[in-house]
C-alpha cells in the first residue's frame, strides 16, 4: 500500500503514531516507490498541553488536516469525526487507513474508511479488558470487527483475534509503537520545573494520573481516594498531573491534601522523566502500565480489569480495583520496598514502527 491515512485524535494516540510517521520518512528515503501519506488529527484533544506539545517533542510533522471536532458527548464526537473524515477521503482516496489504540477517533475513522472501501489497519488491535462499561472496550470491539490488517502488541492479542475468527493472514505480531517512543526518547527526557520547586528526589515521590469516569466523576469517591493516598505514602510526595476532566471535579473540593503536588497535564518528555525517577505510579490509564513495565517502576491500577494483562503477569503492575480502600495495603507494600520486579514482553524493543512500515509497503 502506498497511499495511506494515519489517524490521531487523543493524547494516547500521539506517542503511538509518532514512530510510524518517522519510520515512513525513513523508509521513503531509501526506496524509489515512496509511501504517500496524510497525517490526520481529528481534534478530539485540542489543548496545547494535551496535543500540540506532543507533536513538537516527538518531532511529529504537523498534520496535513485537522478535523477540529473538539469536545462533546461520545455520540457527538463520533458523528462529527465521521462526517468530517468522510469529506476528507472524497478527493484523496487512500488505499489504507491506519488507526491506533482505542479512542473515539479510532473507531469513528475506521467505520468511515471501511464504508468507503478503504482497507483498515488497526495498530494495537486485539486487546480486550472484557469490561463493556468502558467506552474504549466498545471502540476496540467495533474497530476490530471491521479491521483488515491487525498490528498486534502481544501474543495474547493474536489469540484473542483468532478466537474471534480472524484469519492468521490478517494478523501481524509486531510489538508496541508506544514503547518505540519511550525507548527512542530516553536520552531526551526533561526534568520539569516542579522538581526543584518542591525539592523532589529520585524515588522520593509517586506519580498519579486519574481520568476514568469511575474514579473521577463521583465527588465522595475521589475525595476519599485522595485522602487515603495522602495519608498512606509515608514521607513521600504525590505528583498529580491533572487531566481536564479530573480538574473539573477536583476544583469543587476546596481541600488541600498535604502530600499532593497538583499540576496541569505534563508534556511527554517531562512526564516520562517523572515516571522514570518515581518510587511508583498510581493510575487508571492503560498505556502508562506498559511504560512502567518497561521502566521497571511499580504501578497500581485503579480499575477492575485491564486490556493489558501482560503488565500484571510479566510486568510491575497490579490491579487494585476501584474501591478507594483497596489501595492502602498496596501503598504499604510499596513504602516497605516490597514490590515485584518485572520482565518486558516480546518485541517491545523500540523497532515496532519499522516492522509495521515494511509490512505496509508489501501489502
Ligand atoms: C480520551 C480517551 C481515553 C484516553 C484519554 C487520555 C475516548 C473514549 N477516551 O478520554 O481512552 O485515555 O483520552 O487523555 O476516546 N478536554 C479538554 N481539553 C482537551 C481535550 C479534552 O479540556 O484537549 C476535556 C473535554 O472538554 C472533556 C474531557 O476533557 O470534558 C474529556 O475529553 P474526551 O476526549 O471526551 O475524553 P477523555 O476523558 O480525555
Amino acid at each position: 500500500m502506498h497511499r495511506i491515512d494515519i489517524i490521531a485524535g487523543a493524547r494516547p494516540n500521539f506517542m503511538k503514531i509518532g514512530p510510524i510517521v518517522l519510520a515512513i520518512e525513513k523508509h521513503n528515503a531509501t526506496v524509489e516507490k515512496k509511501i504517500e501519506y496524510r497525517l490526520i488529527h481529528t481534534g478530539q484533544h485540542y489543548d496545547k498541553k494535551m496535543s500540540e506539545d506532543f507533536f513538537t517533542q516527538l518531532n511529529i510533522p504537523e498534520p496535513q488536516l485537522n478535523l477540529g471536532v473538539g469536545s462533546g458527548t461520545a455520540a457527538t464526537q463520533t458523528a462529527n469525526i465521521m462526517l468530517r473524515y468522510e469529506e476528507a477521503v472524497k478527493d484523496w482516496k487512500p488505499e489504507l487507513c491506519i488507526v491506533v489504540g482505542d479512542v473515539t477517533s479510532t473507531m469513528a475513522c475506521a467505520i468511515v474508511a471501511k464504508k468507503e472501501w478503504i482497507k483498515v489497519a488497526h495498530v494495537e488491535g486485539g486487546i480486550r479488558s472484557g469490561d463493556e462499561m468502558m467506552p474504549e472496550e466498545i471502540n476496540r470491539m467495533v474497530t476490530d470487527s471491521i479491521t483488515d490488517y491487525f498490528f498486534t502488541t502481544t501474543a495474547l492479542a493474536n489469540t484473542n483475534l483468532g478466537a474471534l475468527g480472524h484469519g492468521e493472514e490478517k494478523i501481524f505480531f509486531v510489538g508496541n509503537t508506544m514503547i518505540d517512543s519511550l525507548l527512542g526518547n530516553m536520552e531526551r527526557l526533561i526534568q520539569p520545573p516542579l522538581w526543584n520547586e518542591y525539592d523532589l528526589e529520585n524515588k522520593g515521590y509517586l506519580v498519579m494520573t486519574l481520568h476514568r469516569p469511575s474514579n473521577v466523576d463521583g465527588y465522595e469517591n475521589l475525595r476519599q481516594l485522595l485522602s487515603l493516598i495522602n495519608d498512606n505514602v509515608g514521607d513521600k510526595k504525590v505528583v498529580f498531573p491533572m487531566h481536564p476532566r479530573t480538574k473539573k471535579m477536583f476544583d469543587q473540593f476546596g481541600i488541600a491534601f498535604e502530600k499532593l503536588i497538583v499540576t496541569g497535564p505534563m508534556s511527554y518528555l517531562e512526564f516520562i522523566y517523572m515516571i522514570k525517577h518515581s518510587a511508583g505510579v498510581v493510575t487508571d490509564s492503560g498505556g502508562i502500565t506498559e511504560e512502567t513495565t518497561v521502566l521497571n517502576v511499580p504501578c497500581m491500577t485503579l480499575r477492575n480489569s485491564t486490556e493489558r494483562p501482560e503488565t500484571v503477569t510479566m510486568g510491575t503492575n497490579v490491579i487494585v480495583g476501584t474501591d478507594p480502600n483497596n489501595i492502602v495495603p498496596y501503598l504499604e507494600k510499596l513504602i516497605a520496598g516490597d514490590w515485584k520486579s518485572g520482565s518486558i514482553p516480546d518485541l517491545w524493543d523500540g523497532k515496532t514502527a519499522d516492522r509495521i512500515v515494511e509490512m505496509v509497503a508489501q501489502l
Side-chain angles (χ1 to χ4, degrees):
M1 305 261 180
H2 289 86
R3 196 174 168 85
I4 67 180
D5 275 350
I6 303 169
I7 308 295
R11 186 170 58 177
N13 287 164
F14 306 139
M15 55 291 252
K16 294 174 191 167
I17 55 115
I20 299 175
V21 173
L22 300 180
I24 292 177
E25 296 287 355
K26 201 167 83 183
H27 170 91
N28 282 350
T30 62
V31 293
E32 226 161 80
K33 191 158 169 51
K34 308 208 182 301
I35 297 177
E36 279 183 89
Y37 73 94
R38 293 191 304 185
L39 175 57
I40 300 185
H41 193 321
T42 65
Q44 179 180 344
H45 282 178
Y46 45 84
D47 282 355
K48 186 172 178 297
K49 295 223 151 185
M50 301 284 284
S51 175
E52 192 187 316
D53 285 358
F54 285 75
F55 281 74
T56 315
Q57 289 196 338
L58 296 171
N59 296 319
I60 309 172
E62 188 130 323
Q64 272 88 340
L65 204 60
N66 192 318
L67 305 179
V69 295
S71 298
T73 65
T76 308
Q77 282 181 326
T78 306
N80 284 333
I81 295 168
M82 287 181 69
L83 287 169
R84 295 175 197 187
Y85 185 49
E86 187 182 52
E87 199 57 36
V89 296
K90 264 196 191 138
D91 297 331
W92 202 85
K93 204 146 192 166
E95 297 169 296
L96 181 73
C97 171
I98 300 184
V99 296
V100 299
D102 56 18
V103 302
T104 301
S105 304
T106 309
M107 178 190 71
C109 290
I111 295 174
V112 170
K114 190 73 179 181
K115 291 198 170 185
E116 292 290 324
W117 296 3
I118 298 159
K119 298 280 186 204
V120 175
H122 186 196
V123 173
E124 201 189 271
I127 61 175
R128 290 290 185 278
S129 68
D131 179 358
E132 293 179 17
M133 300 293 282
M134 281 178 57
E136 292 82 358
E137 185 74 352
I138 314 290
N139 296 340
R140 290 181 201 114
M141 291 162 67
V142 173
T143 305
D144 283 349
S145 71
I146 52 174
T147 290
D148 297 284
Y149 305 108
F150 298 95
F151 292 110
T152 59
T153 48
T154 63
L156 181 60
N158 286 36
T159 308
N160 292 341
L161 291 168
L164 287 164
H166 294 287
E168 273 177 23
E169 69 288 353
K170 293 164 66 182
I171 308 171
F172 307 97
F173 174 32
V174 288
N176 195 329
T177 60
M178 201 169 91
I179 303 305
D180 289 5
S181 279
L182 181 73
L183 299 177
N185 285 291
M186 288 316 280
E187 309 300 320
R188 302 178 58 229
L189 302 181
I190 298 170
Q191 185 184 78
L194 64 75
W195 185 276
N196 287 332
E197 221 173 290
Y198 291 93
D199 269 333
L200 294 179
E201 284 171 14
N202 203 18
K203 310 287 171 205
Y205 64 92
L206 281 72
V207 173
M208 175 156 69
T209 80
L210 296 175
H211 74 283
R212 304 256 166 236
S214 55
N215 285 321
V216 305
D217 284 359
Y219 180 93
E220 189 45 41
N221 195 69
L222 181 60
R223 198 198 54 76
Q224 194 193 352
L225 178 66
L226 298 185
S227 297
L228 285 167
I229 291 172
N230 189 68
D231 296 348
N232 286 281
V233 289
D235 58 5
K236 299 202 192 299
K237 308 251 175 57
V238 182
V239 177
F240 191 5
M242 257 189 215
H243 185 282
R245 176 178 207 121
T246 315
K247 178 122 193 353
K248 277 182 203 161
M249 181 55 79
F250 188 81
D251 285 347
Q252 295 175 29
F253 291 149
I255 313 171
F257 296 91
E258 187 203 339
K259 301 285 174 54
L260 297 198
I261 300 173
V262 174
T263 172
M266 272 189 192
S267 71
Y268 181 77
L269 297 176
E270 290 179 322
F271 185 70
I272 300 295
Y273 180 97
M274 292 306 292
I275 299 274
K276 181 167 184 256
H277 295 279
S278 73
V281 171
V282 176
T283 189
D284 59 7
S285 152
I288 293 171
T289 68
E290 297 184 337
E291 291 164 337
T292 50
T293 282
V294 172
L295 295 172
N296 202 21
V297 169
C299 181
M300 297 167 224
T301 293
L302 300 183
R303 290 171 47 191
N304 294 316
S305 61
T306 176
E307 61 288 343
R308 295 162 162 90
E310 300 76 9
T311 62
V312 177
T313 54
M314 299 178 68
T316 50
N317 185 24
V318 293
I319 300 294
V320 172
T322 48
D323 179 344
N325 293 300
N326 290 359
I327 199 166
V328 176
Y330 289 105
L331 288 173
E332 285 168 357
K333 247 171 114 71
L334 181 79
I335 300 300
D338 174 23
W339 205 266
K340 61 180 173 176
S341 180
S343 57
I344 298 174
D346 275 354
L347 298 185
W348 291 17
D349 58 0
K351 298 177 186 143
T352 296
D354 290 333
R355 286 192 277 270
I356 292 175
V357 171
E358 288 318 310
M359 281 170 189
V360 165
Q362 285 166 32
L363 284 174

